[in-house]
Amino acid sequence: MPRVYLSGEWVRFQRLRGTHDIVGQDAAVFQGIESAAREVFPVFDFEEIRTPVMEERELFTRALGTETDVVQKEMYEFEDRSKTKIALRPEGTAGIVRAYLENNFDKTRGLCKFYYLGPMFRSERPQAGRLRQFHQIGVEQLGAQSPFADAETLQSLTVFLNRAGVSDFTVKLNNLGTFEERQTFKEKLKKYLEPNRAQLCEDCRRRLEKNALRVLDCKIASCRKLIGSSPSILDDLTPESREHFTQVGRLLKRLGIAYQEDPRMVRGLDYYTKTVFEVSHPKLGAQDALAAGGRYDHLIEQFGGPAVGAVGFAVGVERLAMCLTFGEEEKLVPSASVFIATLGEKALEKGFELLSDLRKNAVRAAMDFEAKSLKSQMRSADKAHASFVVILGEDELERGKAVLKDMRNGSQEETPFGEVIRVLKEKVSSHA
Ligand code: HAM
């Protein structure tokens, strides 16, 4: 444990609660997931965007809604030296809308299709699948009005999940209408819940006053019982929203994407309009979604842009990793293809040169500069899961040859120095 001696006592350093070090197998899994994203989303014509992890706090309070849990309880916020109120981004959408408008993409490009990956921060109570620094991979289509865009977005999500190695998921779909339609529904819901106030949990009693819709998201059993027979928002949709919902459903069927309608599904962020969806997976608890998203047709306009629609989603990378299963043989361990073992000072330098040449030739190679005996170097080669070992001693130097050992079958051969790179390149590529 790292520690420093401070004012007469040892102070230890640990990673902050709800954060983790991603290394070894976990890092390999992250890489796999990220490369699936980089493969799939460009095919759907999404280009990468990287926005800052910190933004002005107000961007999030305005975009996500002042009454949301994220804004009320979960943002990491601070004042910088110039007294600007800053927040670490709790999600990616708000920053992307800011970037879209700040770069005038609404005027110069019209439709923008972005994908993103990176860390997000929410001060939640840490537990499995719920972290304070977690990672999202998401997409946003800005300037997209059509239900085709909703279906396309959802398809990119399912293709990505499949490519990343997850198949056993369920897509739930709802339509929350416009802000006006939702207002009518909120009042109706409040009227339904009011007489049963006593059965609601403390939080929901508060939610009833501020935003009755949030009650629908409560996971507590007594509240869920009431929610089960609450009115459906789908009954309050205008023909336009209804038609949007029907169309999205029709298109998803056409694309072969299975989904369940869930008229009681709401999301924890206020910017959604019309389409909302959530992806769940049996490996995650009932509370935790693997991915979520939907339309946010007012957000761009709310920040001074044109009245154009937008739709997107985000997947939780840690949660996605929890849904993957690896057999022992599939474990992705970092491995060096070639290990160079040397004996003696001169051989060490020759080996170092060879190491550099292999790497210049894109052959993954390693060496143990500290090890003294050949035995301990062979142990390091094993630890590095090397497929081939180059052995160089005084003898070999004199003869201008290196011993190449195949670690899978133990066979050895001698190769002249001038040939070593070519031979190893061939061996490694036919071994891969
Ligand atoms: P969200 O539902 O708040 O939506 O989060 C999306 C996903 O991020 C969740 O389904 C979950 O997998 C992951 N996630 C959220 N919080 C945590 C946490 N504390 N620990 C681990 N994973 C977490 C959004 O963030 C929206 N921006 C999605 C979106 C994009 N909507 C439209 N465009």
Side-chain angles (χ1 to χ4, degrees), residues 334-350:
S335 63
S337 308
V338 178
F339 191 92
I340 300 171
T342 63
L343 271 178
E345 205 50 44
K346 277 198 188 131
L348 177 66
E349 281 191 19
K350 177 70 189 168

Side-chain angles (χ1 to χ4, degrees), residues 118-147:
M120 307 290 160
F121 306 85
R122 293 184 196 177
S123 172
E124 295 196 72
R125 186 130 52 92
Q127 49 186 279
R130 188 159 303 164
L131 291 145
R132 291 184 169 171
Q133 175 172 339
F134 59 99
H135 296 78
Q136 283 187 344
I137 292 181
V139 313
E140 311 292 348
Q141 293 208 42
L142 305 123
Q145 217 79 4
S146 157

Side-chain angles (χ1 to χ4, degrees), residues 89-204:
R89 61 180 184 193
E91 59 98 60
T93 313
I96 291 174
V97 168
R98 185 216 27 84
Y100 172 75
L101 293 172
E102 191 169 342
N103 291 291
N104 288 320
F105 291 152
D106 55 320
K107 300 186 188 81
T108 55
R109 294 200 193 183
L111 173 68
C112 272
K113 292 172 71 177
F114 293 123
Y115 80 92
Y116 57 97
L117 29 95
M120 307 290 160
F121 306 85
R122 293 184 196 177
S123 172
E124 295 196 72
R125 186 130 52 92
Q127 49 186 279
R130 188 159 303 164
L131 291 145
R132 291 184 169 171
Q133 175 172 339
F134 59 99
H135 296 78
Q136 283 187 344
I137 292 181
V139 313
E140 311 292 348
Q141 293 208 42
L142 305 123
Q145 217 79 4
S146 157
F148 280 80
D150 305 35
E152 182 195 35
T153 300
L154 248 162
Q155 194 200 15
S156 74
L157 171 58
T158 58
V159 172
F160 162 65
L161 291 175
N162 287 149
R163 186 68 53 89
V166 185
S167 48
D168 203 9
F169 54 80
T170 307
V171 178
K172 281 188 267 170
L173 185 71
N174 193 16
N175 188 307
L176 296 178
T178 60
F179 287 153
E180 296 76 42
E181 287 157 34
R182 200 140 80 219
Q183 198 49 43
T184 322
F185 176 70
K186 271 187 203 164
E187 274 147 33
K188 192 162 152 190
L189 187 64
K190 194 171 170 188
K191 263 198 202 129
Y192 163 81
L193 291 170
E194 199 72 64
N196 303 299
R197 179 176 260 280
Q199 281 145 269
L200 291 172
C201 73
E202 210 184 307
D203 275 346
C204 280

Side-chain angles (χ1 to χ4, degrees), residues 233-253:
I233 194 161
L234 296 177
D235 297 333
D236 283 317
L237 297 182
T238 55
E240 196 219 321
S241 292
R242 180 97 234 157
E243 176 55 19
H244 192 97
F245 187 54
T246 315
Q247 277 242 46
V248 174
R250 198 164 44 228
L251 293 167
L252 290 179
K253 282 192 194 118

Side-chain angles (χ1 to χ4, degrees), residues 26-41:
D26 290 345
V29 168
F30 261 63
Q31 279 182 20
I33 293 172
E34 286 169 7
S35 46
R38 293 190 193 288
E39 253 174 63
V40 169
F41 295 126

Side-chain angles (χ1 to χ4, degrees), residues 62-112:
R62 293 289 175 106
L64 314 188
T66 44
E67 294 304 326
T68 56
D69 279 357
V70 176
V71 167
Q72 288 274 314
K73 312 185 212 164
E74 296 168 4
M75 284 216 292
Y76 281 97
E77 15 181 298
F78 60 96
E79 248 181 32
D80 73 0
R81 283 165 210 273
S82 63
K83 303 270 178 248
T84 308
K85 288 194 169 67
I86 289 174
L88 297 185
R89 61 180 184 193
E91 59 98 60
T93 313
I96 291 174
V97 168
R98 185 216 27 84
Y100 172 75
L101 293 172
E102 191 169 342
N103 291 291
N104 288 320
F105 291 152
D106 55 320
K107 300 186 188 81
T108 55
R109 294 200 193 183
L111 173 68
C112 272

